[in-house]
Amino acid sequence: MNTLTDEQLLERFPGTRIDHDNKAFYRGLLNRQLLIDRCGDCGHWFHPPRPICPKCWSRDIRPTAVSGRGHIHLLILLHQGPSAPGVRYDTPHPVATIELEEQSGLRFTSTIVGSDNAALKIGLPVELSWIDRGANPVPAFKLSGASQ
Amino acid sequence: MSVRYPIKDQVAFASAATTPFSKTSNERTQAGMAIDACVAAIRAAGLGAADIDGISGSGTSPEAKWMQSALGIPRITWWQNPSLTGTFATTIYEAMHAVYSGACSTVLCYHAAYRLPWQSRAAAADAMRRRVGELTGMMGAVDPETMGGSVGYTAWASRYLYEYGRRREDLGMVAINSRSNALRNEHAVINTPLTMDDYLQGRMIRNPLCVYDMDVAIDGADAFIVTTAERARDMALRPVLINAAASGMVANNDEDQLPGLHQHGQQIVVEEMKRRGDFWIDDVDLYYPYDGFSMLTLAWIENIGLCRPGEAGDFMREHWDWAQQRVLLRGRVPFNSHGGSLSEGATQGSGHIREAVMQLQGRAGSHQVDGASKALLTIGGFFFNAQALSLHTV
């Protein structure tokens, strides 16, 4: 497991707004774990990280690994966008919001790898598939049953 | 349930003014444009600096304290620069509430749009703007994988086309409508016609939205005088009363966590406006369904009840004037009569409000709608800026 200090964690994510409420999420990424906040009292999942459960106001927040399975809820193709290592826009870059199987309405936004853009459709099932960007693992998704 | 809305018709626009809009190289500064619009608005109302006792500027414009000194306004008792997380309507709401509460009597309101280096090649070529951009500090790290900010509208446009089985031509109707209105408005920055073929061949930016679905960044400013309805009657121009105003927002409002197309801020705004105001779409001469993104106009048309969800494109075709290439509801009510953010220029809503006030004062020039006395404005998007105003003259 990754046991970086807070200072070391911040160095791994320059320019990202990391604080004590969301640092577990970013530590999880470095361990190739997608940790989503879950309430220790009522079991409600929520994202992005917050210091309170929006459903029962418990402060017992537990960043918890999800299965990584879900389906595409929102889908766009960027023909231009921010520069990032390994991201080229000559082939449009897909960005998808995945509705995670753990709870209706619980969503996580990333990219989809391993398929032609023409194969991507809202509603299709996906699963987590980690990629590397610079020195950091990034949680991406692939169509269920696709290789990579 | 009885409606508690005591501010109805108590606050008015006494004037509105604007500056030339530009989307090409120029040496105008944001502060200079804000000043030009403010001086014009104060003079149009027949006022001087000493008559202003409140200042409400948008959060991205020069600060109220700077404007007071620059304009030599001797004494004010209230000021605010609300965030543009909402639209420019927030800046007007703040002024309304300050006037109604008694914190001040006559408020100068303004918004100056200014292209920063990341918004256009022409802006990036201007060394002075690069310095402004560095100091504004909005160039932090952003990953491509976000639905945050303006990307979110593309995401929900994609979802809209999917849920209702619609095609991009529906979005194209909005772009053409705004463009055709802009052709009638000499103030608009774009003055070339747009056809559906042009639209469908438009450069894709974020599929399914192309360059014609996104508002055009400009340099330019709008300004307003907001005061009590009673005081406005003693000023130089016809008062435009604010009959109702509303904002709406739901949890979760994060772009990618929004409950859905049927459950966001716009539905709340419509419900509140109907409760608070005295008139609605069937009664108005002018309608402004915000078009910062083409998708938003379709959403507003549906959410105010003109047609069922998913049918706004068909509605626009049914009410389309084919000779004029724009919507004319009941054969006479234009939608975004000035060309909107898509073709007059992106103002985060101040252009829609300025146009409505000018129309209702009979000061819209080449594109004046004869006898216009009532306007409905539904401004903003889904997440944290759904807003509306209904305006009228009496």
Side-chain angles (χ1 to χ4, degrees):
Chain A
M1 287 297 274
N2 197 305
T3 54
L4 297 179
T5 64
D6 285 355
E7 286 81 1
Q8 290 168 325
L9 181 67
L10 292 169
E11 285 170 16
R12 293 289 296 273
F13 294 96
T16 301
R17 189 187 174 96
I18 300 181
D19 60 25
H20 292 299
D21 289 330
N22 67 16
K23 66 184 181 184
F25 172 81
Y26 290 97
R27 279 214 170 80
L29 298 185
L30 296 179
N31 295 323
R32 293 180 188 264
Q33 278 193 314
L34 181 55
L35 301 180
I36 300 291
D37 276 358
R38 188 172 199 195
C39 177
D41 284 328
C42 77
H44 184 67
W45 297 84
F46 52 93
H47 185 76
R50 303 187 201 278
I52 191 169
C53 170
K55 193 168 180 185
C56 75
W57 290 1
S58 167
R59 300 297 299 262
D60 181 11
I61 307 305
R62 302 180 182 185
T64 306
V66 292
S67 73
R69 289 187 293 273
H71 62 268
I72 301 174
H73 191 79
L74 303 172
L75 175 66
I76 65 176
L77 299 174
L78 298 183
H79 289 241
Q80 60 188 62
S83 64
V87 177
R88 296 164 53 111
Y89 296 100
D90 46 358
T91 299
H93 182 67
V95 177
T97 297
I98 307 305
E99 182 133 332
L100 301 172
E101 70 173 4
E102 277 75 11
Q103 180 179 292
S104 176
L106 177 69
R107 304 188 198 125
F108 184 80
T109 296
S110 185
T111 189
I112 300 184
V113 295
S115 297
D116 289 341
N117 284 342
L120 306 181
K121 303 275 185 260
I122 291 174
L124 290 180
V126 296
E127 56 198 71
L128 197 55
S129 177
W130 291 87
I131 61 174
D132 291 306
R133 179 171 292 166
N136 290 349
V138 170
F141 291 84
K142 63 178 182 178
L143 295 184
S144 294
S147 56
Q148 177 170 352
Chain B
M1 185 166 62
S2 68
V3 180
R4 197 186 72 81
Y5 195 63
I7 201 171
K8 184 171 76 178
D9 284 344
Q10 298 302 303
V11 179
F13 288 95
S15 75
T18 188
T19 68
F21 281 9
S22 171
K23 63 181 179 68
T24 55
S25 300
N26 66 73
E27 295 191 354
R28 298 156 75 207
T29 64
Q30 187 181 29
M33 294 183 295
I35 289 289
D36 285 348
C38 286
V39 168
I42 295 169
R43 287 187 172 152
L47 302 177
D51 298 311
I52 305 299
D53 64 356
I55 297 180
S56 183
S58 70
T60 58
S61 296
E63 285 185 70
K65 64 180 185 183
W66 189 93
M67 294 293 283
Q68 179 187 15
S69 293
L71 289 168
I73 296 172
R75 181 180 184 275
I76 64 175
T77 59
W78 177 90
W79 61 95
Q80 185 63 265
N81 283 87
S83 161
L84 263 184
T85 301
T87 70
F88 175 73
T90 308
T91 309
I92 297 297
Y93 296 170
E94 292 282 343
M96 276 174 69
H97 299 157
V99 166
Y100 186 66
S101 74
C104 57
S105 295
T106 301
V107 185
L108 174 64
C109 303
Y110 57 92
H111 174 53
Y114 187 63
R115 294 167 308 142
L116 289 167
W118 51 85
Q119 288 178 301
S120 86
R121 285 192 191 88
D126 178 351
M128 296 297 181
R129 285 178 205 256
R130 288 200 298 276
R131 174 61 59 85
V132 174
E134 288 161 19
L135 296 174
T136 306
M138 287 175 64
M139 288 166 138
V142 178
D143 286 322
E145 290 81 15
T146 176
M147 296 302 187
S150 58
V151 183
Y153 293 106
T154 309
W156 288 97
S158 164
R159 182 81 196 177
Y160 176 90
L161 298 179
Y162 165 80
E163 283 194 18
Y164 299 111
R166 304 302 304 192
R167 296 162 60 94
R168 289 187 59 242
E169 281 84 342
D170 291 357
L171 301 164
M173 297 296 286
V174 176
I176 295 169
N177 176 71
S178 285
R179 184 63 61 87
S180 300
N181 280 310
L183 297 180
R184 308 163 70 88
N185 173 12
E186 70 280 359
H187 187 254
V189 291
I190 303 187
N191 50 20
T192 52
L194 183 72
T195 67
M196 189 59 82
D197 283 346
D198 297 332
Y199 172 81
L200 293 172
Q201 290 164 23
R203 180 165 57 92
M204 198 58 84
I205 306 292
R206 304 179 188 120
N207 191 328
L209 299 190
C210 73
V211 64
Y212 298 119
D213 293 300
M214 302 178 175
D215 57 13
V216 54
I218 55 117
D219 300 327
D222 292 310
F224 305 82
I225 299 296
V226 170
T227 187
T228 65
E230 187 181 352
R231 282 172 189 262
R233 281 190 272 275
D234 295 331
M235 295 181 188
L237 299 170
R238 187 186 306 160
V240 174
L241 303 185
I242 302 172
N243 185 250
S247 296
M249 184 158 70
V250 301
N252 290 341
N253 49 54
D254 309 85
E255 292 87 343
D256 61 352
Q257 310 292 324
L258 191 75
L261 290 165
H262 308 291
Q263 195 179 343
H264 52 68
Q266 291 187 353
Q267 290 88 5
I268 296 176
V269 167
V270 169
E271 188 181 319
E272 289 299 313
M273 287 295 288
K274 286 181 165 179
R275 279 160 37 91
R276 298 175 188 184
D278 293 328
F279 55 91
W280 195 239
I281 186 67
D282 288 345
D283 310 306
V284 300
D285 308 292
L286 302 154
Y287 178 42
Y288 298 89
Y290 185 68
D291 64 339
F293 289 93
S294 56
M295 177 66 233
L296 297 178
T297 300
L298 297 179
W300 277 122
I301 289 172
E302 294 169 8
N303 283 318
I304 69 162
L306 281 172
C307 62
R308 288 183 295 190
E311 295 182 353
D314 292 338
F315 181 87
M316 291 185 75
R317 285 180 199 92
E318 285 163 25
H319 297 271
W320 196 250
D321 184 304
W322 291 92
Q324 299 184 28
Q325 287 292 301
R326 60 176 183 153
V327 169
L328 287 177
L329 183 63
R330 302 189 297 277
R332 66 178 203 91
V333 178
F335 286 12
N336 295 325
S337 56
H338 57 317
S341 286
L342 289 175
S343 283
E344 190 200 50
T347 57
Q348 297 74 49
S350 70
H352 299 75
I353 299 172
R354 176 249 308 148
E355 167 73 2
V357 172
M358 301 273 266
Q359 285 277 357
L360 295 174
Q361 292 185 327
R363 300 165 63 223
S366 59
H367 59 293
Q368 178 68 46
V369 172
D370 288 340
S373 67
K374 289 186 175 68
L376 176 65
L377 302 92
T378 53
I379 301 178
F382 299 160
F383 313 116
F384 27 69
N385 57 14
Q387 300 179 306
L389 286 161
S390 56
L391 308 178
H392 65 147
T393 54
V394 291

